[in-house]
Amino acid sequence: MNIIIVKNAVEGGHEGYKLFAEAKKNGAHVFGLATGSTPITTYQEIVASDLDFSDSISINLDEYVGLAADNEQSYNYFMHKNLFNQKPFKQSYLPNGLAEDLEAEAKRYDKIIADNPIDLQILGIGRNGHIGFNEPGTPQDSKTHRVALTQSTIDANARFFEHEEDVPKEALSMGLASIMQSKHILLEAYGEDKADAIKGMIEGPNTPDLPASILQGHGNVTVILDEAAASKLTNK
Ligand SMILES: N[C@@H]1[C@@H](O)[C@H](O)[C@@H](COP(=O)(O)O)O[C@@H]1O
């Protein structure tokens, strides 16, 4: 893994933006996108830049089950607010968390990923090492699937909701195998509460117990960390 340590999320956002710009220059056409607070500084730099995605495709990692696209807490809403409204893509895909048949929706999403191989995938990481919504224990050969969120993820997400009972308990997520198919993966992490997950991801064993550790088996991963997220690494 290529590890870049920066001072803060703003600097990290700039480094992340540079990877998007370089990928575009090299002909990348399909971008895998993530939500959460982590990628926001990268999206801000992209929005402020002259990069043009009107010929590109985006495929998001995940979506909550049960939230409509116009619900302010949905990932669909997040993506429009933080990126798509300012930088429209030719086509943007997100899982439909309102689909009546979630298994069929997962299959539909896998076909979209298979038809549009992802050139650059941006990721954040959960405190328990999840990527997308692939919680600990998720099989490493998983494709898009329905997920029961762990209590720690529900608690972490509660900060975005007015009432705790409004936090969705389920999601649809791209699987670990789908993420591993991306040609280049960029994972960003900021803050001390990510330090344990980052240590496990980079220095621990490759194990389903810490989903992000699967990235050790990918040949083209860039990790952008601030000093706090990197603070538990033995070998900097
Ligand atoms: N499904 C998302 C992940 O894609 C994200 O990486 C994680 C961390 O969020 P944050 O970046 O806000 O710490 O939150 C959610 O679980």
Side-chain angles (χ1 to χ4, degrees), residues 4-229:
I4 302 172
I5 299 184
V6 295
K7 258 205 219 94
N8 51 40
V10 173
E11 257 187 35
H14 184 64
E15 293 299 320
Y17 153 76
K18 284 195 327 206
L19 289 185
F20 272 78
E22 192 186 299
K24 273 230 75 167
K25 208 171 97 198
N26 294 333
H29 175 60
V30 184
F31 295 85
L33 301 178
T35 53
S37 49
T38 306
I40 287 182
T41 51
T42 294
Y43 295 157
Q44 284 169 341
E45 288 252 357
I46 291 173
V47 164
S49 76
D50 57 5
L51 289 185
D52 176 14
F53 291 94
S54 58
D55 270 340
S56 303
I57 289 173
S58 71
I59 306 182
N60 260 81
L61 282 170
D62 47 12
E63 178 60 285
Y64 289 120
V65 166
L67 297 192
D70 63 355
N71 184 308
E72 288 186 21
Q73 305 304 338
S74 75
Y75 283 172
N76 200 318
Y77 189 95
F78 173 101
M79 289 310 302
H80 281 85
K81 180 172 161 216
N82 290 292
L83 188 64
F84 299 154
N85 289 345
Q86 303 89 329
K87 286 280 173 194
F89 284 63
K90 182 168 135 207
Q91 177 81 54
S92 284
Y93 296 105
L94 277 107
N96 175 11
L98 281 187
E100 241 169 69
D101 182 344
L102 292 168
E103 318 310 322
E105 174 60 8
K107 286 213 176 71
R108 181 189 77 92
Y109 213 64
D110 281 336
K111 174 141 187 359
I112 291 168
I113 300 165
D115 290 346
N116 300 281
I118 295 173
D119 293 301
L120 175 63
Q121 172 71 55
I122 183 168
L123 297 175
I125 186 169
R127 291 164 213 195
N128 60 7
H130 73 245
I131 47 178
F133 267 134
N134 293 287
E135 296 279 29
T138 304
Q140 295 196 331
D141 61 359
S142 52
K143 298 232 172 143
T144 306
H145 59 290
R146 181 177 187 168
V147 179
L149 301 176
T150 62
Q151 194 57 45
S152 90
T153 300
I154 293 168
D155 293 344
N157 291 342
R159 67 200 144 119
F160 299 113
F161 291 82
E162 206 174 324
H163 308 288
E164 212 192 306
E165 60 270 25
D166 295 340
V167 187
K169 310 283 185 295
E170 284 190 302
L172 274 173
S173 179
M174 219 187 251
L176 292 170
S178 330
I179 293 171
M180 288 294 278
Q181 278 169 8
S182 308
K183 289 179 203 140
H184 186 181
I185 294 175
L186 158 64
L187 185 143
E188 295 181 37
Y190 308 116
E192 206 190 332
D193 59 344
K194 302 289 173 73
D196 284 319
I198 289 300
K199 183 173 173 59
M201 173 181 96
I202 297 172
E203 295 179 351
N206 177 349
T207 164
D209 295 341
L210 199 144
S213 65
I214 195 174
L215 300 178
Q216 292 170 17
H218 191 290
N220 192 9
V221 179
T222 305
V223 183
I224 300 176
L225 306 172
D226 68 0
E227 280 155 19

